[in-house]
Amino acid sequence: MARHLITSAIPYINGIKHLGNLVGSQLPADLYARYLRGRGHEVLFLCATDEHGTPAELAAAKAGKPVAEYCAEMHAVQAEIARGFRLSFDHFGRSSSPQNHRLTQAFAGRLADAGLIREVSERQMYSRADGRFLPDRYIEGTCPNCGFDSARGDQCDNCTKQLDPTDLINPHSTISGSTDLEIRETKHLYLRQSTLRQQLSDWIDSKTDWPILTTSIARKWLDDGDGLQDRGITRDLDWGIPVRKGDAPWPGMEGKVFYVWFDAPIEYIACAQEWVDAGKGTDWQRWWRTDKGAADVRYTQFMGKDNVPFHTLSFPATILGSGEPWKLVDYIKSFNYLNYDGGQFSTSRGRGVFMDQALEILPADYWRWWLLSHAPENSDSEFTWENFQTSVNKDLADVLGNFVSRITKFCRSKFGETVPEGGQWGPQEQALCDELTTRIRAYEGHMDAIEVRKAAAELRAIWVAGNEYLQSAAPWTSFKTAPETAAMQTRLGLNLIRLYAVLSRAFIPDAAASLMDAMGTGDDGWPGDIEAALTALPAGHAFTVPEVTFRKITDEERQDWQERFAGIRT
């Protein structure tokens, strides 16, 4: 049994996330965590809400609430939606937690002691209309690199280029919309990332198994232009972690907070402390400190490609620079973007289907299956209502659901609601067992490698194999002349349902649980010996015919949803 630490990029607190956010980090992380638990491994799966910085302040102001109150409310909302999608976090924390305050300040102190933080007098945008300095996310303008007209002051969402507010063309305040901005001097702390460039470069070069998407983005940030630059870690904001050097004040930094990019990744570690303090675990350090047992932990991160630079460079720089034995990530699974019906999903612009809306339309498994089977791994992918309807109807209803319905109803009509006795396997059954053995081993390989779409395709092929067997064996025909053969074929079909439930649980957990309940078994052991797995339910074992496992989406529903969710959330 191996030990696996899994973290998903922590979502901003500023509103409910869309399906693109879900498939870019949390959902594939949950798939992997569920799969590893199913294989018997020890897993700690952590996520949290990212509550500091300008997105939180702006969203709270828009909602007319104090920012702390707004964050508490939205954390509860996001946690409930995560439960709705069956995201199996061991803990869903908050970057505003006392644990993260202490740990962030401790990291800053260690970095300062190591000479990796310098104080910089810099010129920063000040809005006379707002009467305050404007941190980068309070400023928008035109990107000088690609011409995108809504680039933020820290990064362009369109081309992902890192920016400073002064780089923007025609900048304006996102608070008031004012263009009456001027440059004033202020002091901030900078992390001297550039001094760690070679160490980071060697570390990234050692990760030969990382996805090309991950390493290409990391190398671009390291090597383009002047290479890795020092980066500010403080901001002139009211809401955030106060700048302190461990337990001590930081002279000259009074009234400032740490920049969200610095404290948010540290929440991954703090979240484990929250997990213990909440009474869910007993020892967080064995997951995060290599001197406390974490050296044998496999740490995997999941994120969208826009988060890759901070997780391959800035957060590792914080950990390496501290000089302490913290666990570094072993594998970063990054994703491209999921687009929406000819455009882009956007939380800030309210474009697309959002997680709460999705759950109002259909249960979580429908969404989980489509999103994971169309995960944007090698390139951007696109959600369309036509494709969603087609995939759900063909994969879930016609293949898996139809198989379950046919075999259980046939058994009930001919043998009752118990697994029937019958003859021995013949060549057809052995051929199915051999095919399933090959496919299940391939499925395991894809899941171990976190090849999400390939795993989904293999799982569907496993379902198809059962349908093809059932169609070919035709127990309804065998029953007329050889009822013992029909009984054997039916018994195999019922055992396939249990096997499918075990294999499919990571993708469609609710349906898998319902199938296990219908089969009247708690035997969810992973299938090592496939022949044994196909005989796990013995003759005489009672079952019930389940309700419709997956219903089809009608053309009328699809048309209604297309109109209701035309791209702008109101």
Side-chain angles (χ1 to χ4, degrees), residues 27 32 48 64 78 117 139 144 178 324 341 358 364 437 461 520 528 553:
L27 186 54
Y32 190 52
Q78 291 200 22
I117 291 181
I139 308 167
S178 174
E324 295 183 315
D341 218 7
T437 298
I553 297 171

Side-chain angles (χ1 to χ4, degrees), residues 220-236:
K220 181 179 179 181
W221 277 55
L222 269 175
D223 301 334
D224 276 11
D226 297 325
L228 186 64
Q229 299 293 301
D230 295 347
R231 184 83 164 143
I233 63 169
T234 58
R235 284 294 181 265
D236 292 298

Side-chain angles (χ1 to χ4, degrees), residues 275-440:
W275 168 68
V276 170
D277 292 346
K280 301 176 184 177
T282 57
D283 184 2
W284 67 268
Q285 294 194 57
R286 68 186 286 265
W287 294 96
W288 277 108
R289 299 274 303 198
T290 57
D291 60 337
K292 302 290 186 179
D296 61 352
V297 169
R298 170 81 171 174
Y299 177 23
T300 307
Q301 294 176 344
F302 290 79
M303 69 198 65
K305 61 184 177 183
D306 54 330
N307 278 317
V308 168
F310 295 106
H311 291 77
T312 56
L313 302 173
S314 298
F315 185 38
T318 297
I319 290 180
L320 291 169
S322 74
E324 295 183 315
W326 297 106
K327 175 67 181 175
L328 280 163
V329 66
D330 294 297
Y331 191 82
I332 296 179
K333 177 66 176 182
S334 56
F335 290 85
N336 289 283
Y337 293 139
L338 174 68
N339 295 318
Y340 176 73
D341 218 7
Q344 287 186 333
F345 279 94
S346 173
T347 299
S348 60
R349 293 164 182 82
R351 189 175 197 285
V353 183
F354 290 73
M355 290 171 67
D356 59 335
Q357 297 169 327
L359 292 175
E360 291 170 4
I361 296 172
L362 287 168
D365 281 352
Y366 293 74
W367 300 105
R368 288 177 64 103
W369 174 254
W370 189 91
L371 290 167
L372 290 167
S373 61
H374 293 77
E377 290 179 286
N378 299 318
S379 63
D380 291 352
S381 58
E382 183 169 8
F383 176 90
T384 68
W385 289 105
E386 291 85 355
N387 186 289
F388 179 65
Q389 178 192 25
T390 299
S391 295
V392 165
N393 290 355
K394 286 186 175 181
D395 299 348
L396 299 181
D398 287 345
V399 179
L400 179 59
N402 182 57
F403 175 83
V404 172
S405 178
R406 290 174 77 188
I407 194 64
T408 55
K409 289 179 179 178
F410 173 76
C411 185
R412 180 173 62 184
S413 69
K414 302 301 183 184
F415 304 104
E417 293 190 20
T418 58
V419 177
E421 293 189 36
Q424 299 300 310
W425 282 8
Q428 196 171 15
E429 288 71 37
Q430 189 59 53
L432 173 64
C433 182
D434 293 343
E435 179 185 357
L436 290 175
T437 298
T438 299
R439 289 199 175 280
I440 290 170

Side-chain angles (χ1 to χ4, degrees), residues 137-187:
R137 286 197 175 220
Y138 277 52
I139 308 167
E140 287 190 358
T142 300
C143 175
N145 184 54
C146 70
F148 182 55
D149 63 3
S150 296
R152 301 191 309 263
D154 62 341
Q155 186 174 341
C156 176
D157 283 339
N158 187 57
C159 68
T160 73
K161 184 175 178 61
Q162 181 180 343
L163 299 170
D164 287 316
T166 53
D167 295 332
L168 295 173
I169 301 167
N170 299 322
H172 64 269
S173 165
T174 59
I175 302 173
S176 61
S178 174
T179 58
D180 186 13
L181 310 178
E182 66 180 20
I183 303 296
R184 292 189 181 181
E185 190 169 292
T186 184
K187 288 184 179 180

Side-chain angles (χ1 to χ4, degrees), residues 96-141:
S96 62
S97 69
Q99 292 90 338
N100 197 39
H101 276 237
R102 291 192 297 269
L103 194 57
T104 298
Q105 291 165 342
F107 264 108
R110 291 286 301 184
L111 291 165
D113 292 343
L116 291 172
I117 291 181
R118 61 187 176 95
E119 189 174 298
V120 176
S121 292
E122 62 178 32
R123 295 163 64 78
Q124 190 173 326
M125 290 283 192
Y126 184 90
S127 170
R128 282 192 286 264
D130 300 309
R132 59 177 296 174
F133 283 103
L134 296 180
D136 35 31
R137 286 197 175 220
Y138 277 52
I139 308 167
E140 287 190 358

Side-chain angles (χ1 to χ4, degrees), residues 68-95:
E69 178 184 333
Y70 173 82
C71 288
E73 289 181 4
M74 285 309 303
H75 176 269
V77 168
Q78 291 200 22
E80 182 62 28
I81 292 173
R83 284 189 288 270
F85 274 98
R86 307 299 185 252
L87 303 179
S88 59
F89 304 130
D90 289 291
H91 188 72
F92 187 59
R94 304 180 61 186
S95 69

